[in-house]
Amino acid sequence: MALVPPHGGKGLVCCLLTGSELEDEKKRAAGLKKIPISAQAKGDLIMMGIGGFSPLDGFMTKADWKGVCENMLLSDGTFWPIPVMLTASKADSDGINVGDDIALEREGEIYATMNVTEKFEMTEEDKKWEAEKVYKGEGEDSQGDFLKTALEDHPGVQMLMARKEICLAGPVKVLSEGEYPTKYKGIYLKPAQTREIFEKRGWSKIAALQLRNPMHRSHEYLCKIAVETCDGVLIHSLIGNLKPGDIPADVRVKCIDTLVNNYFVKDYVVQAGYPLDMRYAGPREALLHATFRQNYGVNRMIIGRDHAGVGDFYGLFEAQEIFNKIPYATYEEACKVPGKALLCQPLKIDWTFYCFKCDGMASMRTCPHTKQDRVILSGTKLRKMLSEGAEIPDHFGRPEVLAILRKYYEGLTEKVEIKMQKAASGEDMK
Amino acid sequence: MALVPPHGGKGLVCCLLTGSELEDEKKRAAGLKKIPISAQAKGDLIMMGIGGFSPLDGFMTKADWKGVCENMLLSDGTFWPIPVMLTASKADSDGINVGDDIALEREGEIYATMNVTEKFEMTEEDKKWEAEKVYKGEGEDSQGDFLKTALEDHPGVQMLMARKEICLAGPVKVLSEGEYPTKYKGIYLKPAQTREIFEKRGWSKIAALQLRNPMHRSHEYLCKIAVETCDGVLIHSLIGNLKPGDIPADVRVKCIDTLVNNYFVKDYVVQAGYPLDMRYAGPREALLHATFRQNYGVNRMIIGRDHAGVGDFYGLFEAQEIFNKIPYATYEEACKVPGKALLCQPLKIDWTFYCFKCDGMASMRTCPHTKQDRVILSGTKLRKMLSEGAEIPDHFGRPEVLAILRKYYEGLTEKVEIKMQKAASGEDMK
């Protein structure tokens, strides 16, 4: 059995230049007009660079944007669930015409050059329409005046509405992977690399666990169900940007290492990270997660409770249900439109927890007992307990992992205390 | 999504007569020549009666037998893994000619009539060849002089070699389901009935757990992995004949009821029994289990360690591996030959157990710890401990289930004691 092919039917589309091509383009880029880009666009560019966003080779045109928002289809009929846009202010884009080459820059570094094939305005109304189409869900926070609530509480919608008014579309040449190859050495793997690992191991049915939080018993259980039923599992952490207050990637990676070392059979696990920022788009982002995982060689995307959700914008299992509603939703239909359809299928798992009566991990599908029998902790409560050094209930997490998190929170507290001491002594004022 | 179609592309082929047709045929049967049949053939007939053996509508011809032994294909190219033969002694079959109608009888009851379309001899050499093709595995007991070892220790091969020398092939009309509808009321479900239940529940991805032993934590774990990843699970017990010393079906059914009531969410479980005898053919029988499960509406057959094995005749995971070696082994290939290929896929799960360090159930794929951390009991040792009233190690089985088994074994001991007392007092001699 072979690995699932990359999405889009064109193999891995990698826009990253190397060798002398890279050096020449860097020189050329220095002379081009520079456009500042967002952190999100930087992540998108690196994904295009390494083939993670195959078949995309640049930012979307108006037709692509419209098709993706409306039907999750690019203008050529290929499935894609979330817009990938490059925007610039009117001032920055002034004088840029179709046909021009520009350089895309962030914090002093040029990440790519782009040949502009289309320039179009995106009004406030357009963005609001996109927000409704892409980010609105069935959860409580999406009811009533969704946009008002989202503007206050939805980081994804906030980023969308903060996008500039001019869109620039066109193919890119990527010049840099930023800090990822050095900062996350050994963890930051490109799709070609995970594919090589899977092939060497003889795997073809491969599940991915999406992670943006530390891994506790419930995530471990999802992962182990995948190990029991697939050839192996890719524990795939977001190493791009998160909301403030979330646990940084290096701490999470350390937690996963420890967990894998102590509680997994290593032959069946690969740990890696990918350079995207969270969009918190719930169901649509779950589809994006499955789409780019296909490029990494994965054909089963684990979708648990409130996948990629934020606040109460999405129904707890809306990110599972959307897989039944996409174009070419069944594997049979998908096989009929080679290259166009998503081939990475969801591995849907219910709300999981430890249950004393079950004497082990379980989910709402397998445990007939009551709330009182189960160990359930909200993320907020857990963070509070960890930062206060409180005892975490038995069976919630692995002691080795909790020790790492405790140390991290102690460090945070120390930093805050030092800051407060400095403030009290007037040191900060000097 | 629809249920998987019955195997063979002809819908459910049910040879059981009902109503006036049944009454008329019963009268007609009384006047036909009677052939005594084995317990195995009785089970096979009932399966043909209720559609469990679709597309078979009778016992196999020589060409079918040869194709099935050699390539697992009937003469028309349809997948079938194990011969289903009717045999008679030379004396009993004397005077029976092709074209004749005969009645198939066991213990005074006529189970079917058959129109003989072929009559052929099966020599000792033929049976030995079948044994080698169908029953020989890769385990230790299959090495060396397989036939010699098998004749001593393999109940399936013993039954095969005890078959009579004349084979009679032809379509059957089934007249009786024997004791099953009354003795196992509510448990003995026909394929049409399980299909109706699955359809009512809206299931389409359905796993089956094959059971011939009481259900302990390890079986519960297999079942729960299926519940986590499929729409639901059919706990499907063999209620035909087993080897001496095995636990009778009514006790097993009671154990399952208790387990399901206390440890499962009932919405995701159906319990049923099927009327076949065990053949102990390991890998080939695992395929048979998947084949007839497809008729019951199941498309995922749980295959664990040493499925349908006996002694050390089969490699621990040979029954999983054979699914990769059958004709049309991949789902893609199977879809290309509608009706011919097996569509019920294996759900392969490794050796499972409770592990103290994992703090729950695990398998060799998910637990990195050592033998000492795991609760593993052989069936033999368990039976010994239960019959001696010894304490079973924690986490091996559910207390409610063990209580039922203890009671059964106490009853057995009492019976033996009463027998011994009677023998001692000479009562038996009266």
Side-chain angles (χ1 to χ4, degrees):
Chain A
M1 292 279 287
L3 289 182
V4 66
H7 180 55
K10 297 174 184 171
L12 284 177
V13 177
C14 301
C15 307
L16 183 67
L17 299 185
T18 54
S20 62
E21 261 194 318
L22 172 63
E23 293 315 315
D24 294 349
E25 190 68 9
K26 271 184 175 174
K27 275 177 213 150
R28 203 174 71 90
L32 296 176
K33 184 174 169 70
K34 289 174 193 65
I35 296 286
I37 60 169
S38 65
Q40 188 180 85
K42 171 188 154 186
D44 293 346
L45 270 177
I46 299 175
M47 284 296 264
M48 290 181 218
I50 62 180
F53 269 2
S54 305
L56 302 191
D57 65 352
F59 290 99
M60 289 185 183
T61 63
K62 187 150 195 183
D64 284 337
W65 170 78
K66 198 160 175 286
V68 165
C69 290
E70 211 154 35
N71 313 311
M72 300 189 258
L73 295 175
L74 297 169
S75 53
D76 72 354
T78 303
F79 175 80
W80 198 273
I82 290 193
V84 178
M85 312 306 291
L86 182 73
T87 66
S89 68
K90 275 193 173 146
D92 284 336
S93 63
D94 193 37
I96 295 179
N97 296 308
V98 167
D100 288 357
D101 284 345
I102 55 174
L104 308 181
E105 183 188 53
R106 180 172 174 81
E107 293 168 351
E109 181 156 7
I110 295 178
Y111 281 94
T113 60
M114 181 168 109
N115 179 254
V116 179
T117 58
E118 199 177 310
K119 180 180 177 183
F120 56 99
E121 204 177 328
M122 185 155 294
T123 63
E124 284 292 298
E125 285 313 302
D126 288 336
K127 289 198 272 188
K128 284 180 184 169
W129 180 77
E130 178 180 334
E132 295 264 355
K133 285 283 172 190
V134 176
Y135 291 85
K136 191 175 172 177
E138 290 165 7
E140 214 177 294
D141 288 346
S142 288
Q143 309 308 312
D145 192 341
F146 162 68
L147 277 172
K148 190 166 168 284
T149 316
L151 274 171
E152 280 164 19
D153 292 326
H154 196 302
V157 173
Q158 288 165 348
M159 280 188 279
L160 189 175
M161 296 308 292
R163 277 185 346 213
K164 302 294 185 286
E165 55 271 44
I166 303 298
C167 291
L168 298 168
V172 295
K173 291 176 179 166
V174 177
L175 309 181
S176 168
E177 296 165 81
E179 71 279 22
Y180 293 106
T182 47
K183 191 171 173 190
Y184 296 103
K185 206 171 171 219
I187 287 297
Y188 170 69
L189 298 180
K190 302 177 197 188
Q193 291 174 303
T194 56
R195 286 179 167 269
E196 200 189 327
I197 294 170
F198 299 156
E199 268 170 5
K200 270 194 188 149
R201 295 195 184 192
W203 295 358
S204 63
K205 186 176 175 187
I206 300 146
L209 178 73
Q210 153 72 25
L211 270 187
R212 58 169 161 138
N213 283 312
M215 209 172 155
H216 297 299
R217 292 279 310 262
S218 54
H219 310 99
E220 183 190 325
Y221 181 56
L222 300 184
C223 230
K224 288 193 165 173
I225 291 173
V227 171
E228 297 293 13
T229 56
C230 303
D231 295 330
V233 71
L234 174 67
I235 301 182
H236 213 195
S237 301
L238 180 136
I239 52 178
N241 296 299
L242 288 158
K243 317 189 247 88
D246 284 340
I247 299 199
D250 54 340
V251 179
R252 284 185 280 122
V253 165
K254 209 173 153 192
C255 289
I256 297 169
D257 267 338
T258 304
L259 188 71
V260 170
N261 282 333
N262 288 285
Y263 297 97
F264 278 86
V265 180
K266 284 183 205 165
D267 297 353
Y268 304 116
V269 185
V270 174
Q271 192 196 160
Y274 67 96
L276 272 191
D277 291 5
M278 276 300 292
R279 281 165 158 89
Y280 301 97
R284 289 276 193 137
E285 186 149 354
L287 293 171
L288 183 69
H289 285 163
T291 307
F292 74 73
R293 254 52 170 242
Q294 187 179 324
N295 293 328
Y296 281 89
V298 164
N299 52 0
R300 294 290 185 285
M301 182 71 215
I302 300 173
I303 310 286
R305 184 177 65 98
D306 200 21
H307 187 104
V310 64
D312 285 321
F313 284 95
Y314 306 107
L316 284 186
F317 298 99
E318 213 182 323
Q320 296 186 350
E321 291 150 15
I322 198 168
F323 280 86
N324 302 331
K325 299 173 186 166
I326 61 173
Y328 335 113
T330 69
Y331 190 71
E332 282 75 12
E333 287 172 313
C335 289
K336 283 181 200 153
V337 285
K340 304 287 187 209
L342 178 65
L343 294 176
C344 178
Q345 299 169 66
L347 177 53
K348 303 173 184 178
I349 306 181
D350 212 307
W351 191 345
T352 62
F353 41 76
Y354 183 91
C355 167
F356 284 96
K357 282 200 180 148
C358 288
D359 188 33
M361 296 303 296
S363 82
M364 300 294 277
R365 289 178 68 84
T366 50
C367 165
H369 307 118
T370 64
K371 231 176 161 176
Q372 283 70 40
D373 304 312
R374 298 169 183 160
V375 179
I376 292 176
L377 261 191
S378 75
T380 317
K381 197 163 175 198
L382 175 71
R383 278 189 290 271
K384 192 165 173 286
M385 292 173 90
L386 281 169
S387 62
E388 288 170 355
E391 273 301 308
I392 308 300
D394 278 353
H395 312 289
F396 177 81
R398 298 296 187 181
E400 298 87 343
V401 172
L402 292 173
I404 294 169
L405 292 175
R406 254 191 218 104
K407 216 168 155 190
Y408 163 71
Y409 276 101
E410 276 166 20
L412 273 193
T413 319
E414 275 167 26
K415 274 184 205 159
V416 172
E417 277 168 5
I418 291 168
K419 232 181 181 175
M420 285 171 73
Q421 281 167 4
K422 279 183 184 172
S425 66
E427 207 180 316
D428 265 5
M429 318 254 169
K430 283 174 196 171
Chain B
M1 293 280 288
L3 289 183
V4 67
H7 179 55
K10 297 175 183 170
L12 284 177
V13 177
C14 301
C15 306
L16 184 67
L17 299 184
T18 54
S20 62
E21 261 193 320
L22 173 63
E23 293 316 314
D24 293 349
E25 190 68 11
K26 271 183 174 174
K27 275 176 214 150
R28 203 175 72 90
L32 296 176
K33 183 173 168 70
K34 289 176 194 64
I35 297 288
I37 59 170
S38 65
Q40 187 181 86
K42 169 187 155 187
D44 294 346
L45 269 177
I46 299 176
M47 284 296 265
M48 290 182 219
I50 61 179
F53 268 1
S54 306
L56 302 191
D57 65 353
F59 290 99
M60 290 186 185
T61 63
K62 184 148 196 186
D64 284 337
W65 170 78
K66 198 160 176 283
V68 165
C69 290
E70 209 154 36
N71 313 310
M72 300 189 255
L73 295 175
L74 297 170
S75 54
D76 72 353
T78 304
F79 175 81
W80 198 275
I82 290 192
V84 178
M85 311 307 293
L86 182 73
T87 65
S89 68
K90 274 193 174 148
D92 286 334
S93 61
D94 193 37
I96 295 178
N97 296 309
V98 168
D100 288 357
D101 284 344
I102 56 174
L104 308 182
E105 182 188 50
R106 181 173 174 80
E107 291 167 352
E109 180 155 8
I110 296 178
Y111 281 94
T113 60
M114 180 168 109
N115 179 256
V116 180
T117 58
E118 199 178 310
K119 181 180 177 183
F120 56 100
E121 202 176 332
M122 185 157 292
T123 63
E124 285 292 298
E125 284 313 302
D126 289 335
K127 289 198 269 185
K128 284 181 185 169
W129 180 77
E130 177 179 336
E132 294 265 355
K133 285 283 172 191
V134 176
Y135 290 86
K136 190 176 173 179
E138 290 165 7
E140 213 177 296
D141 288 345
S142 288
Q143 308 309 312
D145 192 343
F146 162 69
L147 277 172
K148 190 168 169 281
T149 316
L151 274 171
E152 279 164 22
D153 292 325
H154 196 301
V157 174
Q158 288 165 346
M159 281 188 277
L160 190 174
M161 295 309 292
R163 277 186 346 213
K164 303 291 185 286
E165 56 272 42
I166 303 297
C167 290
L168 298 167
V172 296
K173 291 177 179 166
V174 178
L175 309 181
S176 167
E177 297 164 81
E179 70 279 24
Y180 294 107
T182 46
K183 189 171 173 191
Y184 296 102
K185 206 172 173 217
I187 288 296
Y188 170 69
L189 299 180
K190 302 178 195 186
Q193 291 174 303
T194 55
R195 286 179 167 268
E196 200 189 328
I197 294 170
F198 299 157
E199 268 169 7
K200 269 196 189 148
R201 295 196 184 190
W203 294 359
S204 63
K205 187 175 173 184
I206 300 147
L209 179 72
Q210 153 71 25
L211 271 185
R212 58 167 161 140
N213 282 312
M215 209 173 156
H216 297 300
R217 292 281 308 265
S218 55
H219 311 99
E220 182 189 327
Y221 181 55
L222 300 184
C223 227
K224 287 193 165 172
I225 291 174
V227 172
E228 297 292 12
T229 57
C230 302
D231 295 330
V233 71
L234 173 67
I235 301 181
H236 213 194
S237 300
L238 180 136
I239 52 179
N241 296 301
L242 288 158
K243 318 187 245 87
D246 285 340
I247 299 197
D250 54 339
V251 179
R252 286 184 281 123
V253 164
K254 208 172 156 195
C255 288
I256 297 170
D257 267 338
T258 304
L259 188 71
V260 170
N261 283 332
N262 287 285
Y263 296 98
F264 277 87
V265 179
K266 284 182 206 165
D267 297 354
Y268 304 118
V269 185
V270 173
Q271 193 197 159
Y274 67 96
L276 272 191
D277 290 6
M278 275 301 290
R279 282 167 157 86
Y280 301 96
R284 288 277 192 134
E285 185 149 356
L287 293 172
L288 183 69
H289 285 163
T291 307
F292 73 74
R293 255 52 171 241
Q294 185 179 325
N295 292 328
Y296 281 88
V298 164
N299 53 359
R300 295 288 185 286
M301 183 70 215
I302 299 173
I303 309 286
R305 186 176 63 98
D306 200 22
H307 187 105
V310 64
D312 286 321
F313 284 96
Y314 306 105
L316 284 186
F317 298 99
E318 213 182 323
Q320 296 186 351
E321 290 149 17
I322 198 169
F323 280 86
N324 302 330
K325 300 173 186 166
I326 61 173
Y328 336 113
T330 69
Y331 189 71
E332 283 73 13
E333 286 172 314
C335 290
K336 284 180 199 154
V337 285
K340 303 285 188 211
L342 177 66
L343 294 175
C344 178
Q345 298 168 67
L347 176 53
K348 303 173 183 176
I349 306 181
D350 212 307
W351 192 344
T352 62
F353 41 76
Y354 182 91
C355 168
F356 285 94
K357 282 201 180 146
C358 287
D359 187 33
M361 296 304 294
S363 82
M364 300 294 276
R365 289 177 67 84
T366 51
C367 165
H369 307 118
T370 64
K371 231 175 161 178
Q372 283 71 39
D373 304 312
R374 298 169 183 161
V375 180
I376 293 176
L377 262 191
S378 75
T380 317
K381 197 164 175 196
L382 175 71
R383 279 188 290 270
K384 191 166 176 285
M385 293 174 89
L386 281 169
S387 62
E388 289 169 356
E391 273 301 307
I392 307 300
D394 279 352
H395 312 288
F396 177 81
R398 297 297 186 180
E400 298 88 343
V401 172
L402 292 174
I404 295 169
L405 292 175
R406 252 190 220 103
K407 217 169 155 188
Y408 163 71
Y409 276 102
E410 277 166 20
L412 274 193
T413 318
E414 276 167 25
K415 276 185 205 156
V416 172
E417 277 168 5
I418 290 167
K419 231 181 179 174
M420 285 170 71
Q421 282 167 5
K422 281 184 183 170
S425 68
E427 206 176 319
D428 265 8
M429 318 252 168
K430 284 175 196 170

